Amino acid sequence: MAEVTYTGGPLPVAAKGRNSVGWLGVLCLIATEACLFAYLLFSYFYIAIQRGPGWSPEPNPSLAMAGPNTLILLASSVAAWWGEGGAKGGQRTRQLLGLSLAILLGAIFLIVQVFEWKAKTFRPTDGSYGSLYFTITGFHMAHVVVGLAMLIAVTGWSWLGLFQPRRHEPVSNVVVYWHFVDAVWLAVFATFYLAPHLMW
Amino acid sequence: MTAWEDARTPRSAKVTPSSPGPRLQKIWETGPGLKGWISSVDHKEIGKRYIVTAFVFLLLGGIESLVMRLQLSGPNRTLLSPEAYNQLFTMHGVSMIFLYASPVLSGFSNFLWPLLLGSRDMAFPRLNALSYWVYLAAGLFLYAGFVVGRGPDAGWFNYVPYAAREFNPGVNIDVYALGLILLGISTTVGAANFVVTFLRLRAPGMSIDRVPILTWGTLTASVANLLAVPSVSLAFFLLWLDRQFGFHVFDAADGQPLLWQHLFWMFGHPWVYAIVLPAMGMVSDGLPTFCRRPLVGYTPVALSTVATMALGFGVWVHHMFSTGLPDISLSFFSGASLIITIPSAVAVFAWTATIWLGRPVITTAFLFFASMIVLFVIGGVSGVMTGSAPVDWQLTDTYFVVAHLHYVLIGINVFPVVGGAYYWFPKFTGRMLSERLGRWNFWTMFLGFNLGFFPMHLLGLMGMPRRIYTYSAGMGWDTTNLVVTLGAFLFAAGVGLFLINVAVSLKRGRIAPENPWDAPTLEWATASPPPPYNFAVIPTVASRHPLWEHRLNESAGRSCLDEGLLLDHGRETLGTTPLDGEPSLILEMPGDTPAPAILALGLAVLFAGAPLKAWWLAGLGGVICAGALVLWFWPRRVHADEPEAAHG
């Protein structure tokens, strides 16, 4: 009987995009982090349901800062996506511009979040609502910081010209993580800012 | 520039003694000295370190249990104070569940996976090294607290309010909380590595219906870890905030203490399956070798492995039947707990049928694997009993539960692991363990275990609660407790015989050939122990049993082991497609680097600063971590010195 050996054509070396192992690694990271936020929000809803109306010290949280800030974070995702397109197409200026814009918008989000925290009338030690509000938004801000650090690293390396055109895999991996950080914010935002208007 | 500019048609070659072995040896070899040792990312090195470290924790946990058994051997003994007893039973649980049971399986899988799958390493070798170093750091961290008398002391599942600051003001629980978060990092990165390796690093031709069952077990456990570990890490983090920063999440006045139990068991129950499914996989692969036939029911066993895990996410509340939850919840989770016996039993029937239809060769490894079936059935039946809510109300927090969980964990983890050690020792070390001593080892462990743990069922039925540091005379428990203690020491003697066998055989054991058991899978197609590059050429696989094809004739083609892809432009291995195992890329593997060890050191410093509230120390740890990450991720300039890059 015939032995089976390789007869195919050329294979990509350290492939880019979805064919790479790094991409799958980032998806694993995103899966486990998504679970982390699911457990965080579970804790919030679990205590909210057990405690019932009157638990939250702010039954109608203001959207004045959080609303526009959400749009800023989404815009940051769009900028990152546009910059990633530059990396794929070998357009270095577009790549640097898009990634830099994403960093800038992400940083603005972070600063507005600090003001949002300061504007709250309750502290984490006042009760379980405060504890969970600051823990969950704090976890998200920590992820924004990590995402920004990663964006700054790949943008810096792009400036230095350390990525050959085909070696933009780290850019795609960081950008998808950034999209994830933004998507998580939508869940956090819906939980703390939108749901209370529906719940009580 | 075209997309194919950086593509290459990999060269095939036939293996001869002079080629390509020596060349690959130079490329893959770990450097000499301490620096080489710290920098190694070889999965075989890491696997062995995992196994040895896990066994050290097994011995520590074992010694703790023996001290407890001396205290409980008769009524009103005063060997231990209640405080010391609390720390001992907590550290015993922590050591066995977290620092032995899961890491030892990671060790076997780390060593074996690339060999089973026909690859040269795991998908992320540096992450693999990180996983080990962080595990070691977390173990030392937890034991550091214990050594200075500040070990965790509220039981391994650490219920609030016992674990709240009000009732437990010392640093003990903070050590536990932070230690487990650290360990969670190790588990998570290890799990991601297994998932990606399974999807992309199998030999060409190894479609997912041809992988050994062990890889199904570890894959399933790894996916579960990715989904479940965040729950316990979060629970411990919230507890730390409650205890040290005045948060109120688990606070009865304003939060909800029961949330702790939910978060803990949403993790805890899947974790129980994560520490048995890979061990069951070891039996599914090892047992058929000694039955001289393929496993009966490969597909049902693989599918039921996954099904057990999926259902395992829906049974956590059976740990909480006595907390006053609504009846509807009890019915649902009790039902799910009974249904899970169906996929669990599939493997039992498959192993039994394999022995029945095979021609068993009785070796020590066979005895350990086969006896595991018996212990699994006993532990499974007592599990079904406690899975029923009314029975559980009677039995919860008694020695019946202690008996159940030890039958399950020792039966389905320790017995397969020791059996696996007998089976794969030649591959690990190049020498065989002694079979003569092995028989003594097996029978001492088997009898000691049953003598030590079976009577616990009776103690539980007689109403002896778990976690009591002593009991009065005249409860009717005295003799049974003495028998349990004798059994525990006999079991420990059995483990001692195993260690003696390992120590003696490492020096004087028979030299092992490539395939001493005439086994069917790829790890036996390379030298014992394997060279740093595992396989001189990437094997091509045509069936589930590449080394038994000449007997089984189960596939049209033949696997090809001595001729295949060379991949020698630096450390390279083949990436294949997730389902069919078709070649799809050439992977450039990283070289040895100290970055993972430095990162683990940084994390350890960070976590050491936290319970002491020495923020400068934590900050220093953070800086070390950042430096290690930059070193790790700095883009590599590659392909500058290729000997024969053939651009297609």
Side-chain angles (χ1 to χ4, degrees), chain A residues 58-71 112-113 116 119-120 129 133 185-186 188-198:
Chain A
E58 48 165 11
N60 294 301
S62 158
L63 297 174
M65 273 196 278
N69 212 17
T70 302
L71 296 179
V112 176
Q113 270 295 89
E116 174 79 8
K120 292 291 172 195
Y129 179 88
Y133 173 83
W185 172 253
L186 293 181
V188 173
F189 177 71
T191 301
F192 280 101
Y193 291 89
L194 301 182
H197 294 279
L198 307 170

Side-chain angles (χ1 to χ4, degrees), chain B residues 249-327:
Chain B
V249 177
F250 300 119
D251 176 348
D254 187 60
Q256 173 54 273
L258 209 54
L259 176 62
W260 171 269
Q261 296 195 26
H262 280 296
L263 287 176
F264 190 89
W265 290 116
M266 280 197 276
F267 150 81
H269 205 86
W271 178 262
V272 172
Y273 289 107
I275 60 182
V276 298
L277 289 175
M280 290 164 69
M282 284 158 62
V283 175
S284 295
D285 289 341
L287 193 64
T289 298
F290 299 108
C291 295
R292 315 305 306 145
R293 57 152 296 134
L295 177 71
V296 173
Y298 171 95
T299 308
V301 171
L303 290 176
S304 65
T305 303
V306 178
T308 305
M309 195 73 239
L311 289 172
F313 273 89
V315 299
W316 81 88
V317 167
H318 73 213
H319 297 270
M320 302 166 59
F321 279 161
S322 58
T323 55
L325 292 170
D327 287 350

Side-chain angles (χ1 to χ4, degrees), chain B residues 4 26 46 59 123 191 289 305 331 340 348 469 517 533 578 580 585 619 639:
Chain B
W4 289 109
K26 258 206 313 226
I46 296 166
L59 294 182
T289 298
T305 303
S331 311
I340 207 166
V348 170
Y469 83 103
W517 312 111
Y533 49 88
D580 298 327
L585 77 154
H639 275 241

Side-chain angles (χ1 to χ4, degrees), chain B residues 37 81 110 151 156 162 166 288 386 396 620 622:
Chain B
W37 191 79
S81 67
N110 261 321
W156 76 276
Y162 303 129
E166 194 183 350
T386 47
T396 192
L620 176 68

Side-chain angles (χ1 to χ4, degrees), chain A:
Chain A
M1 273 189 223
E3 289 189 326
V4 191
T5 50
Y6 180 70
T7 50
L11 297 173
V13 180
K16 51 193 163 192
R18 313 248 154 132
N19 193 17
S20 72
V21 291
W23 168 260
L24 289 172
V26 171
L27 290 191
C28 286
L29 175 67
I30 288 176
T32 192
E33 297 251 58
C35 289
L36 172 66
F37 279 96
Y39 293 120
L40 276 164
L41 296 179
F42 166 82
S43 304
Y44 168 85
F45 282 111
Y46 180 74
I47 295 186
I49 289 164
Q50 304 251 320
R51 290 280 157 190
W55 172 59
S56 165
E58 48 165 11
N60 294 301
S62 158
L63 297 174
M65 273 196 278
N69 212 17
T70 302
L71 296 179
I72 289 174
L73 196 59
L74 290 179
S76 168
S77 242
V78 175
W81 168 76
W82 187 71
E84 186 199 358
K88 283 180 181 163
Q91 303 153 272
R92 191 152 173 273
T93 318
R94 175 174 155 187
Q95 177 185 346
L96 290 175
L97 205 62
L99 293 177
S100 306
L101 189 62
I103 294 169
L104 181 70
L105 290 167
I108 293 173
F109 172 86
L110 209 54
I111 293 163
V112 176
Q113 270 295 89
V114 172
F115 282 102
E116 174 79 8
W117 269 20
K118 286 195 169 157
K120 292 291 172 195
T121 54
F122 53 87
R123 298 286 102 205
T125 49
D126 291 346
S128 56
Y129 179 88
S131 300
L132 286 168
Y133 173 83
F134 285 102
T135 305
I136 294 174
T137 52
F139 258 100
H140 181 261
M141 281 160 80
H143 281 73
V144 172
V145 170
V146 169
L148 281 177
M150 284 158 55
L151 278 172
I152 289 169
V154 290
T155 312
W157 285 324
S158 301
W159 271 106
L160 295 173
L162 291 177
F163 297 128
Q164 291 126 306
R166 69 181 179 90
R167 300 221 166 237
H168 59 71
E169 184 211 333
V171 177
S172 301
N173 292 345
V174 168
V175 167
V176 73
Y177 185 77
W178 188 245
H179 292 328
F180 161 72
V181 171
D182 295 0
V184 163
W185 172 253
L186 293 181
V188 173
F189 177 71
T191 301
F192 280 101
Y193 291 89
L194 301 182
H197 294 279
L198 307 170
M199 271 159 64
W200 34 66

